[in-house]
Amino acid sequence: MDIISRAEWGARAPRSRSSVGWSQRTEFIVHYSEGPTDQSVRSIQDFHMDGNGWSDVGYNFLVDISGRVYEGRGWLVVGAHAPDHNTSGIGVCMIGRNGDSTAAAKRSIRWLYDEAARRTGRNLTRLGHRDVYATSCPGDELYAWVRAGMPADIEEDDMPDYVSVGMDTPQDLPPNKWVTVTWGKEYSDQKHHHWNQGGSSFIVGPARYAFTANVQIDGLAPGTELQARAIEHAESGGDYDGGPISEYVASAGSTFVHYNVAADTVGDGYRVRFQVIHYGSETGRITAGSAKAFAWPT
Ligand SMILES: [Zn+2]
């Protein structure tokens, strides 16, 4: 892919610039311009320099809805796009408003990400501007794509995302308390549904999904009543929707809970988790488990 250079789009010279090394680049931050899709990069630069009084256009790169990539400040110049994250973060702006982004624009943003990862030699944290600052930027639609891991093959929408995770640490199961199972192992998760932060959610909304979860529970008296459920947990705070509950009875020795959701929908800003509870008197233990999911982002 070609990057349209500053000379090619008629950039003004920056008033000043300060450099940053690749080792300091740890984040990749996506923005939108919140203006018309045909706005020129030069006019954005004029606004940033003359309106905001900045030394140059704020972003490191800009992408239009046709997928053209424009050099802003470039890879290794400190930007002006996200306070406290201008040294750590490479800022890329989609020229347009919420809902304007296209498969071509997303592919170009992803290409810039892959290029940055290649040059740093490691993955960068993929963020929307709103992850680090109180703003609606980069708009709900583009943000959902960022949170889904910035999938490059976005036109293959019919193929579900496949997630396969497992437990790596046993968890206590005290009586009468819903316990959220934590998935410390990740076998398959190309589209980043199983988030590194937390580890218990394994499907990111908005999506349709299906999953099965299997856990082994020990330490319960035979006959103890158990339940399992999916919950859709809000990313912001403790709000959640409880899904269908299945019931089980502890057997002698280990009890195996097999839980299945054939089809459900999780909304924007929510993530699916899996929980179990028992109504005995002793504290049991979830000793092993795994979950496999299909998700169709909506
Ligand atoms: Zn922004």
Side-chain angles (χ1 to χ4, degrees):
M1 202 169 290
D2 289 331
I3 295 177
I4 298 168
S5 70
R6 295 176 63 92
E8 286 171 299
W9 61 261
R12 288 159 62 181
R15 295 197 187 99
S16 64
R17 26 176 47 188
S18 49
S19 303
V20 48
W22 276 113
S23 64
Q24 293 165 279
R25 293 298 207 191
T26 56
E27 298 169 318
F28 186 90
I29 303 175
V30 176
H31 301 264
Y32 68 169
S33 63
E34 214 177 358
T37 55
D38 60 358
Q39 188 176 11
S40 70
V41 175
R42 174 59 190 260
S43 79
I44 294 172
Q45 184 192 32
D46 285 342
F47 177 68
H48 285 179
M49 293 180 74
D50 303 332
N52 297 350
W54 298 344
S55 60
D56 194 355
V57 62
Y59 310 108
N60 297 98
F61 294 93
L62 302 93
V63 168
D64 70 17
I65 58 167
S66 323
R68 283 183 290 247
V69 179
Y70 300 86
E71 181 184 22
R73 296 194 185 194
W75 294 115
L76 294 179
V77 174
V78 175
H81 58 89
D84 299 328
H85 294 264
N86 288 312
T87 299
S88 54
I90 295 169
V92 174
C93 176
M94 190 274 298
I95 301 173
R97 299 187 173 93
N98 185 40
D100 286 338
S101 79
T102 57
K106 288 171 184 161
R107 266 196 294 272
S108 293
I109 296 169
R110 178 56 192 249
W111 178 81
L112 282 164
Y113 170 81
D114 288 339
E115 188 63 21
R118 190 181 69 77
R119 290 176 187 229
T120 55
R122 59 195 146 72
N123 288 324
L124 303 173
T125 306
R126 300 161 213 202
L127 299 168
H129 190 186
R130 65 173 74 170
D131 287 323
V132 296
Y133 193 77
T135 172
S136 58
C137 180
D140 289 346
E141 192 266 331
L142 197 55
Y143 182 64
W145 175 74
V146 173
R147 291 300 288 269
M150 307 195 326
D153 50 337
I154 39 192
E155 281 180 333
E156 295 166 20
D157 280 342
D158 293 342
M159 283 292 291
D161 303 340
Y162 177 62
V163 184
S164 175
V165 291
M167 289 179 64
D168 66 350
T169 310
Q171 290 177 246
D172 281 344
L173 187 61
N176 308 308
K177 182 176 181 297
W178 285 106
V179 170
T180 302
V181 177
T182 296
W183 310 111
K185 286 184 191 160
E186 189 176 284
Y187 304 110
S188 177
D189 184 31
Q190 282 195 332
K191 302 295 176 65
H192 303 280
H193 283 274
H194 176 234
W195 207 23
N196 300 334
Q197 273 168 285
S200 54
S201 59
F202 57 99
I203 300 165
V204 179
R208 292 190 296 277
Y209 68 90
F211 82 88
T212 60
N214 292 286
V215 291
Q216 177 182 336
I217 294 167
D218 291 291
L220 298 183
T224 302
E225 222 186 294
L226 291 135
Q227 293 179 333
R229 69 178 181 185
I231 65 162
E232 294 166 5
H233 197 275
E235 287 170 3
S236 52
D239 182 34
Y240 69 88
D241 289 330
I245 291 178
S246 293
E247 305 211 324
Y248 310 84
V249 176
S251 45
S254 299
T255 300
F256 295 91
V257 168
H258 174 76
Y259 182 85
N260 178 50
V261 174
D264 211 331
T265 304
V266 55
D268 194 10
Y270 283 76
R271 291 165 179 270
V272 177
R273 301 178 180 184
F274 174 68
Q275 297 186 322
V276 289
I277 190 171
H278 80 84
Y279 301 99
S281 50
E282 60 284 275
T283 290
R285 206 153 163 77
I286 312 169
T287 46
S290 64
K292 297 181 197 315
F294 285 114
W296 291 261
T298 53

